[in-house]
Amino acid sequence: MDVPLRVLSKPFGTKAEDKMVEAETVLLVLCALWQANGCFQLITPSRWGARPANCSAPLKDILPENVIIIHTAGTPCHTKDECSRETRNVQDYHQRTKGWCDIAYSFLIGEDGYVYEGRGWRAEGAHTLGYNDLSLGVAFIGLFTGTCIDRPLKQDSNCTE
């Protein structure tokens, strides 16, 4: 049964802002459905041990038209503990060495099959000069030049292709 989705939030005032809230709500609902089905799990910053961020710049008031797919160019990970540690290492490098306010990416994906939230849906990233305020940055954890992911990502038996 198809159920129409309605955004039950007070509009911000502009159509662009309303569309951003609507898109974010749809994505959050999809994430919740995937989590309930066991096929998707978002690891929030508090769950991977993030340090506090000093960011305040939101994405522009338009829907991101770009998703930038990159890799962290670092150590790969295969378990939740390894991927949490590597995500903390990336955040530490970005904050302490680069002097950025937080980890550069919106989301990171480990070879354990989990998605690690970086700056999330609404904050401007630091992943691609000239596109940070217009895009989400998704990074695969590890170095993938001249190689592929060495094994299939974890997949729950409840997931279907």
Side-chain angles (χ1 to χ4, degrees):
M1 178 173 151
D2 291 326
V3 178
L5 178 64
R6 289 207 165 159
V7 177
L8 301 175
S9 64
K10 184 177 179 182
F12 290 107
T14 68
K15 286 188 178 191
E17 289 170 333
D18 291 345
K19 286 189 177 284
M20 182 65 109
V21 170
E22 184 176 338
E24 184 179 43
T25 303
V26 169
L27 290 171
L28 289 173
V29 168
L30 289 173
C31 288
L33 291 173
W34 283 327
Q35 281 183 315
N37 196 24
C39 298
F40 173 87
Q41 187 166 1
L42 181 68
I43 308 298
T44 61
S46 64
R47 290 181 53 211
W48 58 259
R51 293 180 29 204
N54 277 336
C55 300
S56 61
L59 287 171
K60 289 197 175 197
D61 289 339
I62 59 173
L63 293 174
E65 294 182 14
N66 305 292
V67 176
I68 309 297
I69 308 292
I70 45 186
H71 65 155
T72 62
T75 306
C77 60
H78 300 95
T79 68
K80 186 176 172 189
D81 286 341
E82 288 176 352
C83 292
S84 292
R85 181 174 49 252
E86 189 57 27
T87 303
R88 287 190 303 273
N89 290 342
V90 171
Q91 184 191 38
D92 187 62
Y93 174 72
H94 289 172
Q95 287 182 319
R96 292 182 190 220
T97 304
K98 295 286 199 173
W100 296 337
C101 64
D102 196 6
I103 197 166
Y105 316 114
S106 307
F107 300 95
L108 299 93
I109 301 172
E111 287 189 65
D112 61 349
Y114 293 121
V115 177
Y116 295 80
E117 182 179 9
R119 294 193 189 195
W121 301 110
R122 306 265 323 215
E124 181 180 324
H127 45 78
T128 311
L129 186 62
Y131 289 89
N132 291 325
D133 60 345
L134 298 170
S135 63
L136 297 174
V138 178
F140 284 91
I141 301 171
L143 179 63
F144 299 99
T145 53
T147 186
C148 295
I149 294 175
D150 66 0
R151 63 183 180 177
L153 295 176
K154 177 184 167 185
Q155 187 173 15
D156 192 303
S157 62
N158 292 329
C159 298
T160 59
E161 293 187 67

